[in-house]
Amino acid sequence: MNIAPEPLPIRSNAQPTMLKLAHYGIGPQRAKAMLAPLRDMPSLKHLDLSDCRLDDAAVESLVQAAAERPNGDGLSTANLSENRLGKKSVKAIHLLLQPSSSSHLCTLMLEHCRLNDTIAATLYASLGSNQTVKTLSLAHNALGASVK
């Protein structure tokens, strides 16, 4: 069954500042269909894709699209909680958090993402040079589970 994503909710407001698709379970295929619109929504500041059944590759693509937004059009809030993040997506988030990126991310929510110490180490490395992130939530992940 091939179901194309319906762009009407995205286009209904001329200058949306928030895109909230939390708990819709859009999955990786529909998420990839959002890549171009994500780049073309200059006023978008808040992105909530929590519990959307996204896999590592889909999150990686979405984060890269967010990083490619023109300077000054960066997201300030991203909620990717309750999705399966892995090395690829966290590496993309790491690049988004670098001072050289156009990101102005202030809040990053990564709760219930099955992160472990090894994967999170990449994320931690980017926080040392980041000046914008004020809130980072990593609740309910397997952090510290390998420490005995």
Side-chain angles (χ1 to χ4, degrees):
M1 181 161 78
N2 188 9
I3 301 173
E6 185 63 47
L8 294 178
I10 295 173
R11 298 284 183 187
S12 65
N13 186 354
Q15 295 295 321
T17 59
M18 176 180 247
L19 179 57
K20 185 173 183 177
L21 297 174
H23 313 295
Y24 280 101
I26 62 174
Q29 190 173 21
R30 288 190 179 120
K32 288 182 181 179
M34 290 176 38
L35 296 179
L38 183 60
R39 290 184 195 106
D40 297 334
M41 296 173 70
S43 61
L44 183 66
K45 299 297 177 198
H46 309 283
L47 180 64
D48 186 352
L49 296 174
S50 57
D51 191 26
C52 281
R53 295 185 310 118
L54 302 179
D55 61 12
D56 195 34
V59 173
E60 176 191 29
S61 297
L62 287 165
V63 170
Q64 287 174 344
E68 292 171 3
R69 293 165 56 92
N71 200 12
D73 288 343
L75 295 173
S76 60
T77 304
N79 188 347
L80 300 171
S81 298
E82 300 182 54
N83 289 297
R84 290 186 179 188
L85 301 187
K87 290 180 183 179
K88 290 180 181 180
S89 53
V90 171
K91 189 172 183 179
I93 291 169
H94 170 77
L95 295 174
L96 182 67
L97 297 177
Q98 294 302 303
S100 60
S101 81
S102 64
S103 172
H104 304 289
L105 201 61
C106 296
T107 302
L108 179 59
M109 308 296 286
L110 301 174
E111 299 175 0
H112 292 278
C113 290
R114 300 182 183 183
L115 297 177
N116 59 34
D117 293 332
T118 305
I119 295 172
T122 303
L123 184 62
Y124 300 149
S126 60
L127 294 174
S129 59
N130 183 281
Q131 299 290 315
T132 60
V133 174
K134 305 297 181 207
T135 304
L136 172 65
S137 182
L138 299 172
H140 306 287
N141 283 293
L143 303 178
S146 61
V147 178
K148 295 181 181 182

